């Protein structure tokens, strides 16, 4: 492992929060040449390349500071949306909850997305189901803290519409009946069903909820930011 990789590893070990921005994936030349076989592989590849680029640019001042919040960004890969084109675009985001993140992380993530993209508002935010223990069924109580924060963001006009992911009919109905700001969409994983469940389809049609499909494997984001895997990504740079 080179000197810059050792410095990066030390910074990662000391920081409590990491803000990692891969930027526009299409800006990564290597990813255009090699098509990742899975979404998880694509995500790991982007994180690895971002860490490697960032670690080669670490200043001595940053090493001396050992900041608690670490900003890991490669400026040339980050693109802001052209203000002249904003009205013609719909800006959507999907929020993945990792580990024991608090609901306040929801607002931080939305604020960061708006800042990075150079927009004042996101048109749509879909929240992936929060992680739960094995053998435990997802319930309304698991979703409520995050949904309450999303509702606040709608009220403050940071988000226009909010949606869910991988909820069945019962779960979606419970959320709909409880929520002040109703979900306007629900993603269904293509791996879990070839045809939309009839009861879910009927409920969505009755309450004007758009059913979308996605192909994000379960747990695709869980654990990708662990220190050991971060250090592995950095060490591969010196080989």
């Amino acid at each position: 492992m080179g000197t810059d990789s050792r410095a990066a590893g030390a910074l990662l070990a000391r920081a409590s929060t990491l803000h990692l921005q891969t930027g526009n994936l299409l800006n990564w030349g290597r990813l255009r040449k090699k098509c990742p076989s899975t979404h998880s592989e694509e995500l790991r590849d982007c994180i690895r390349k971002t860490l490697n680029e960032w670690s080669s640019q670490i200043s001595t001042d940053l090493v001396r500071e050992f900041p608690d919040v670490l900003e890991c960004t490669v400026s040339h890969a980050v693109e802001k949306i052209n203000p002249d084109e904003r009205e013609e675009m719909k800006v959507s985001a999907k929020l993945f909850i990792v580990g024991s993140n608090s609901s306040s992380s929801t607002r931080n993530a939305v604020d960061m997305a708006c800042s990075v993209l150079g927009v004042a508002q996101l048109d749509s935010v879909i929240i992936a189901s929060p992680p739960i223990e094995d053998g435990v069924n997802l319930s309304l109580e698991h979703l409520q803290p995050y949904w309450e924060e999303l509702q606040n963001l709608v009220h403050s006009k940071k988000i226009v519409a909010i949606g869910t992911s991988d909820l069945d009919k019962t779960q979606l109905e419970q959320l709909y009946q409880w929520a002040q700001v109703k979900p306007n969409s629900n993603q269904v994983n293509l791996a879990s069903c070839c045809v939309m469940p009839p009861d879910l389809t009927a409920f969505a049609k009755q309450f004007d909820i758009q059913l979308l499909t996605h192909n994000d494997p379960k747990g695709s984001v869980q654990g990708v930011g662990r220190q050991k895997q971060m250090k592995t990504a950095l060490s591969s740079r010196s080989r």
Side-chain angles (χ1 to χ4, degrees):
M1 187 182 293
T3 303
D4 51 0
S5 295
R6 285 196 296 270
L11 288 167
L12 288 168
R14 290 282 294 273
S16 63
T17 302
L18 172 66
H19 293 162
L20 188 146
Q21 300 176 25
T22 64
N24 188 342
L25 304 190
L26 295 179
N27 285 345
W28 292 115
R30 188 163 66 88
L31 291 180
R32 288 199 297 268
K33 297 174 184 176
K34 175 192 173 186
C35 182
S37 58
T38 66
H39 293 299
S40 298
E41 180 186 339
E42 180 182 43
L43 180 59
R44 284 192 296 268
D45 202 15
C46 293
I47 290 176
R48 181 181 300 109
K49 189 166 179 62
T50 302
L51 283 169
N52 289 343
E53 292 275 348
W54 166 77
S55 67
S56 67
Q57 302 169 21
I58 293 175
S59 66
T60 54
D61 289 340
L62 185 64
V63 175
R64 283 196 294 266
E65 290 174 10
F66 273 116
D68 189 51
V69 177
L70 201 57
E71 301 286 345
C72 179
T73 306
V74 181
S75 58
H76 68 75
V78 178
E79 286 184 15
K80 292 187 181 294
I81 292 176
N82 187 331
D84 296 333
E85 300 174 354
R86 177 63 180 95
E87 291 186 3
E88 303 172 6
M89 303 177 68
K90 181 176 181 179
V91 182
S92 301
K94 187 168 184 179
L95 179 65
F96 293 88
I97 307 300
V98 179
S100 57
N101 281 3
S102 65
S103 57
S104 62
S105 298
T106 302
R107 176 175 290 274
N108 294 338
V110 170
D111 286 342
M112 188 178 300
C114 288
S115 175
V116 170
L117 296 174
V119 298
Q121 184 183 63
L122 299 180
D123 297 298
S124 174
V125 172
I126 291 175
I127 183 170
S129 299
I132 54 178
E133 296 179 4
D134 292 338
V136 177
N137 293 324
L138 182 70
S139 67
L140 177 61
E141 287 72 24
H142 293 119
L143 289 167
Q144 282 174 327
Y146 305 102
W147 199 261
E148 286 176 340
E149 190 58 45
L150 287 173
Q151 291 182 143
N152 291 335
L153 289 165
V154 172
H155 293 320
S156 62
K157 301 188 183 304
K158 292 290 287 188
I159 304 174
V160 176
I162 49 181
T164 57
S165 182
D166 299 320
L167 299 190
D168 60 25
K169 185 263 182 182
T170 300
Q171 294 165 337
L172 185 59
E173 183 177 19
Q174 290 175 347
L175 177 63
Y176 189 91
Q177 292 175 345
W178 167 82
Q180 293 180 355
V181 178
K182 309 299 183 182
N184 82 322
S185 64
N186 181 49
Q187 286 187 333
V188 179
N189 197 318
L190 290 172
S192 63
C193 68
C194 297
V195 179
M196 291 285 184
D199 60 344
L200 178 61
T201 302
F203 180 81
K205 182 177 181 180
Q206 179 182 0
F207 293 98
D208 196 26
I209 300 173
Q210 186 178 14
L211 292 182
L212 308 169
T213 58
H214 76 96
N215 197 31
D216 299 324
K218 186 177 180 179
S220 59
V221 179
Q222 301 301 320
V224 295
R226 292 173 182 165
Q227 271 191 11
K228 183 177 180 181
Q229 290 171 315
M230 292 289 192
K231 290 179 180 178
T232 299
L234 289 168
S235 64
S236 65
R237 181 175 180 272
S238 60
R239 294 172 186 170

